[in-house]
Amino acid sequence: MAYKRPGGGLTVFQQASKFVGVSVLAGSVLAGISLPAIGALGLMSKETVEGFDELPVNMKQPPLSQKSTILDVKGNEIASVYARNRTVVELNDVAPVMQQAIVAIEDQRFYKHGAVDLKGILRALNSNAQAGQVQEGASTLTQQYVKNVFVEEAGENEAKVAEATRQTIGRKIKELKYAIQVEEELGKKTILKNYLNIAFFGEQAYGVEAAAQRYYSKPAKDLSLTEAAMLAGIVQSPSRYDPVNDEEEAKKRRNLVLQRMANNKYISQDQADAAKKKGLGLKVSQPRNGCITAVKGAGFFCDYVREVFLKDKAFGKTEKVRAARWKQGGLTVKTTLDPQAQDSTNKSIRQHVYQSDRVATAVSMVEPGTGKIRAMGQSRPYGFSVKKNETQQNLSVEKSMGGSYYGYQVGSTFKPFTAAAALEQGTSIGKSYPSPYKMRYPSPVKSCKGDWTNGEGATVENENEEEVGPYALKEAIAKSVNTYFVGMISDIGICPVTNLAKDMGIQMGNGAELPQAPSVTLGSATIAPLTMANAYATFANRGVYCTPIAIESITDANGKRLPVPKSSCKRVMSEKTADSMNTLLRGVVEDGTGKQAGLTGRDNAGKTGTTDERTNAWFVGYTPNLAGAVWVGGAAKKVSMVDIQIGPTYHDKVFGADTPGPIWRDAMSGALEGKPAPKFNLVHIPKPEKKHDEDEDEGDDGGDSWWDEGWDDKPGGNDPQPDPTLPSPIGGTDVGTTDGGVIGGNNGGGNG
């Protein structure tokens, strides 16, 4: 009997006949179309064939979304990332038996008809009418390909996906017209290739290559008869015929495909019968998607690469365009990551800091002169389990790139920026300051926003009471004398220091400006490890700063190279200043606070840093060809690193030298093994005169009157003593984060 739509109207057969007539009148060669048998499946009276000729002629064929591959600088795969797990292949990279299987089960007359199959329509209409429901469709592979293009174009938009798949006459008309166009323009082989690449095979596998890898861990060109038949059977209903979750149902479907192949003479009946007796033979491989699957502990670097792509206008004018391009995939991204440096970084981290420790460490390495990021690692691995101390927060980078909101207080690793700014201002490398054990912050001090004043009478002191000046710069930086650098920044002003630091790429972890207070010299600013490593690379590069880069090249799915951002380099200090800093900071690792971090057999330099209450500890150092920063502290909350076990070592007090220092030493040693060992260009630093009366020091240093304020000379000695009426030092982990705000005291940023 002929079924009518609810409410009367044309029978399904009459609708099909009218559709055929319209298509012929339109000059199209009609060979068939799949229509629902009853109106209850979604036929709408207003969506009729009258709109056929009004449809646009050109059908969009968007590039298929594919997986992108992230590589290290040597071409080794770090990770695969994708919105849809797909690898597009040519037809000759698909086993012939797979091509035959998909045609046999989905469109056995594929090579005999045009865009649609008239015999298929009539056969399906008859079968469905007799059954009273849809049991058989008659959409050709071409029509199915068109529908899949619409679905692909809809992406994750559920409304558009529903529109692209709903069972209505209107959609079928649209599908038909585009199918006719595709048949005329592409030809059978290309249509088959496109269909095999776009079809969904379940279990996150899009396209035959991904499906072959997912279910059988092999490429599509190596599929056997039984494997090809199983895959071909999935596409009609990926959830129903999922072999992972319902092997019995999948086997029934596979055997149907084998029989269809025999019926169409692709294989003999004996071959089909023998194949039906075999099991599915699955060799399932788990999908590996995203930076969480990255090897060599490079998950966070992988994430950083993605953030670079999404934020850099080189990859698209708007963030929306860039996000769509990344999601589309098909990219081969060669990065700057050096596997040797990354391996060494991971090994050093594992040796010194455990994943289960109360504190964490983050290590970043940058190549001076190029800005290329060579390593990025941390003790808290990439993951989602809080119980396992996993995290998705990249401890090496600033907030905008997926890192900590503020970064971390850098302590005395900031002091070299003050010294470099002073040298650039013309200060002598032998400059001496009284540098008492304890002193008030001088006031007023010039800043970029007017004069800073010490309205609260805040004080600063050195790490040890024995640290009493006067000191010259070389000894002061080697011993990391707080009062020396407070004196220096008060002398030259805050603005030259923060401006130079900014020119060297320094900014707060949350993107805010550096504090305009003298405590900035003691490391009150919160900065990311990658930022510090790259800034110190400026010293190694003799005063030329280069912006950090993570991407060497990008190739799209067609082999076309895309433009990528290059490092931008500029001179920010003279060679003389940089050479002077290299000479001074070499002294830190030779006989200063950083002796435990020093490398053997090559020139190296660096600076330690420890903050108030020992909540952060640093070592930032470099050779002429590699710079690295190591931070240790509380990853999610502040942890006072006193009486604490870190890795295999117990510490009564953590210093920059005894925890970050050895991590840096071991990581850098392995990263540089077998690499050239260039030398620094050193300068001569005259030996300072022995300590003498403070009055004479005042004459040498220009008689800065504020040095006398609040201090009394001890009778018969040279050590200045604090005035007991002075307020006690103030500090804390939030010191100096606002202009003119709280000032660091009691190690105010630390002296390493």
Side-chain angles (χ1 to χ4, degrees):
M1 60 177 292
Y3 287 85
K4 295 185 178 181
R5 293 181 298 131
L10 298 177
T11 65
V12 173
F13 184 83
Q14 289 171 326
Q15 293 180 54
S17 299
K18 183 176 181 181
F19 194 12
V20 170
V22 172
S23 299
V24 171
L25 289 174
S28 304
V29 179
L30 180 67
I33 188 170
S34 167
L35 293 174
I38 52 176
L41 292 178
L43 302 182
M44 299 173 63
S45 59
K46 65 178 181 180
E47 292 178 321
T48 58
V49 294
E50 280 79 6
F52 184 89
D53 289 327
E54 297 176 6
L55 291 171
V57 175
N58 295 319
M59 171 189 169
K60 289 184 179 180
Q61 298 183 46
L64 300 181
S65 60
Q66 303 181 59
K67 71 176 182 179
S68 290
T69 305
I70 314 296
L71 308 175
D72 65 27
V73 74
K74 300 293 186 181
N76 306 307
E77 182 173 326
I78 297 172
S80 292
V81 296
Y82 51 79
R84 290 183 173 174
N85 182 16
R86 176 189 283 120
T87 300
V88 175
V89 293
E90 295 298 322
L91 201 57
N92 57 12
D93 287 322
V94 179
V97 71
M98 181 69 218
Q99 301 176 39
Q100 294 164 353
I102 202 74
V103 169
I105 193 64
E106 290 297 316
D107 187 0
Q108 57 186 314
R109 286 172 36 80
F110 175 63
Y111 294 106
K112 299 177 181 178
H113 60 65
V116 287
D117 185 2
L118 178 58
K119 289 184 178 180
I121 288 177
L122 299 178
R123 182 186 66 247
L125 288 171
N126 181 59
S127 174
N128 296 336
Q130 290 182 13
Q133 59 181 336
V134 176
Q135 287 190 337
E136 182 178 350
S139 288
T140 63
L141 276 180
T142 307
Q143 289 174 270
Q144 292 181 52
Y145 167 64
V146 169
K147 181 176 73 174
N148 275 287
V149 169
F150 293 149
V151 173
E152 182 78 17
E153 194 175 37
E156 303 302 319
N157 189 315
E158 294 183 4
K160 289 185 177 180
V161 171
E163 182 181 346
T165 57
R166 60 188 178 137
Q167 293 285 354
T168 66
I169 290 290
R171 182 183 69 79
K172 285 294 182 180
I173 295 171
K174 182 178 180 182
E175 184 181 285
L176 168 64
K177 185 166 188 177
Y178 287 140
I180 294 169
Q181 176 197 346
V182 167
E183 282 274 348
E184 292 176 349
E185 294 182 358
L186 299 184
K188 294 294 186 181
K189 285 188 176 181
T190 302
I191 292 170
L192 179 59
K193 179 197 76 171
N194 289 356
Y195 178 79
L196 285 168
N197 280 308
I198 201 172
F200 179 50
F201 288 81
E203 293 287 336
Q204 301 181 39
Y206 288 82
V208 67
E209 180 69 14
Q213 294 289 355
R214 176 72 174 106
Y215 296 108
Y216 293 110
S217 300
K218 62 169 60 175
K221 65 181 180 181
D222 295 336
L223 290 169
S224 68
L225 170 62
T226 54
E227 293 166 349
M230 197 280 290
L231 293 183
I234 292 176
V235 294
Q236 186 185 76
S237 180
S239 57
R240 178 180 177 183
Y241 302 125
D242 182 353
V244 175
N245 296 310
D246 194 339
E247 188 170 341
E248 183 178 349
E249 194 69 20
K251 188 175 181 180
K252 290 179 182 178
R253 179 68 177 172
R254 181 206 65 179
N255 290 348
L256 175 61
V257 175
L258 289 168
Q259 188 57 52
R260 289 281 180 87
M261 293 180 73
N263 295 345
N264 285 276
K265 310 301 182 184
Y266 289 124
I267 58 175
S268 68
Q269 189 61 52
D270 288 344
Q271 286 177 307
D273 292 341
K276 290 176 185 179
K277 296 176 182 179
K278 295 181 180 180
L280 295 182
L282 297 176
K283 189 178 179 181
V284 177
S285 62
Q286 294 300 317
R288 292 184 56 81
N289 179 24
C291 293
I292 195 171
T293 66
V295 299
K296 297 182 181 295
F300 295 101
F301 178 76
C302 172
D303 244 2
Y304 181 82
V305 169
R306 181 178 63 87
E307 291 293 338
V308 169
F309 190 97
L310 295 178
K311 288 179 171 57
D312 199 304
K313 291 185 177 180
F315 304 112
K317 291 183 179 181
T318 67
E319 188 169 350
K320 183 177 180 180
V321 169
R322 297 189 292 271
R325 185 66 189 85
W326 180 263
K327 187 176 180 181
Q328 179 184 316
L331 306 174
T332 300
V333 184
K334 186 178 181 182
T335 71
T336 60
L337 195 75
D338 177 12
Q340 178 179 333
Q342 184 69 13
D343 285 341
S344 182
T345 295
N346 292 333
K347 182 179 178 181
S348 181
I349 289 172
R350 288 193 299 268
Q351 287 178 341
H352 293 283
V353 183
Y354 297 154
Q355 180 177 339
S356 58
D357 286 344
R358 291 174 59 205
V359 295
T361 187
V363 182
S364 290
M365 294 183 184
V366 179
E367 185 175 88
T370 66
K372 294 178 180 179
I373 302 169
R374 294 308 193 189
M376 184 182 289
Q378 61 189 55
S379 58
R380 298 284 171 87
Y382 195 114
F384 305 94
S385 174
V386 176
K387 291 182 179 180
K388 294 180 180 179
N389 281 330
E390 295 175 342
T391 181
Q392 296 176 67
Q393 187 178 71
N394 189 342
L395 305 179
S396 287
V397 302
E398 60 201 39
K399 180 181 183 294
S400 65
M401 302 301 287
S404 166
Y405 179 68
Y406 288 113
Y408 306 99
Q409 282 190 311
V410 294
S412 294
T413 57
F414 198 93
K415 288 173 181 172
F417 305 137
T418 301
L423 295 176
E424 280 289 283
Q425 295 292 305
T427 300
S428 167
I429 197 170
K431 179 69 173 179
S432 175
Y433 288 102
S435 315
Y437 161 64
K438 180 180 179 181
M439 59 178 277
R440 280 197 183 103
Y441 276 90
S443 177
V445 179
K446 291 182 179 179
S447 79
C448 296
K449 298 182 178 180
D451 286 348
W452 175 90
T453 58
N454 185 3
E456 299 179 0
T459 62
V460 59
E461 62 186 46
N462 297 327
E463 174 70 17
N464 301 309
E465 292 186 11
E466 294 78 14
E467 289 177 356
V468 178
Y471 289 109
L473 178 54
K474 182 179 180 180
E475 188 177 8
I477 204 166
K479 292 183 176 180
S480 199
V481 180
N482 287 340
T483 56
Y484 180 94
F485 285 94
V486 169
M488 176 171 273
I489 196 171
S490 300
D491 195 7
I492 67 171
I494 300 165
C495 205
V497 176
T498 55
N499 281 347
L500 177 62
K502 183 178 179 181
D503 287 342
M504 296 171 72
I506 293 293
Q507 64 175 9
M508 300 274 277
N510 63 350
E513 294 183 0
L514 291 168
Q516 291 296 306
S519 61
V520 72
T521 191
L522 304 179
S524 59
T526 52
I527 303 169
L530 175 61
T531 304
M532 291 298 290
N534 200 50
Y536 271 55
T538 307
F539 295 134
N541 198 33
R542 303 191 71 192
V544 176
Y545 167 75
C546 297
T547 55
I549 57 170
I551 299 174
E552 288 267 14
S553 65
I554 298 182
T555 306
D556 69 13
N558 298 316
K560 179 182 177 182
R561 288 176 71 100
L562 305 181
V564 299
K566 304 297 182 183
S567 181
S568 175
C569 299
K570 64 176 181 178
R571 178 164 295 283
V572 298
M573 69 182 74
S574 68
E575 285 189 354
K576 180 181 178 182
T577 295
D579 292 344
S580 298
M581 292 305 305
N582 296 336
T583 306
L584 291 165
L585 293 174
R586 190 177 75 153
V588 174
V589 298
E590 287 183 341
D591 54 16
T593 59
K595 286 181 68 174
Q596 291 174 265
L599 305 178
T600 57
R602 61 177 67 240
D603 276 8
N604 63 112
K607 185 72 187 72
T608 56
T610 313
T611 66
D612 284 345
E613 301 178 12
R614 286 175 166 74
T615 53
N616 299 280
W618 290 77
F619 187 85
V620 188
Y622 56 95
T623 68
N625 51 349
L626 191 64
V630 177
W631 163 84
V632 176
K637 59 183 179 180
K638 297 166 185 172
V639 177
S640 179
M641 292 183 286
V642 177
D643 296 328
I644 190 171
Q645 184 84 19
I646 301 177
T649 307
Y650 171 79
H651 303 265
D652 10 344
K653 290 182 179 181
V654 166
F655 293 90
D658 69 3
T659 305
I663 297 172
W664 182 89
R665 177 196 64 216
D666 294 346
M668 291 284 286
S669 295
L672 291 167
E673 185 176 355
K675 303 288 178 67
K679 301 290 186 181
F680 289 131
N681 293 277
L682 302 177
V683 302
H684 172 68
I685 301 178
K687 291 184 178 180
E689 296 180 6
K690 293 182 179 180
K691 293 182 181 181
H692 45 279
D693 290 341
E694 188 121 356
D695 289 337
E696 296 177 12
D697 288 333
E698 289 178 9
D700 292 343
D701 293 330
D704 299 311
S705 60
W706 42 262
W707 284 107
D708 292 328
E709 182 180 333
W711 297 93
D712 296 317
D713 287 339
K714 183 178 180 181
N718 297 317
D719 296 345
Q721 301 297 313
D723 184 337
T725 63
L726 285 175
S728 40
I730 59 176
T733 52
D734 292 326
V735 296
T737 57
T738 56
D739 295 346
V742 182
I743 307 302
N746 189 25
N747 198 26
N751 69 359

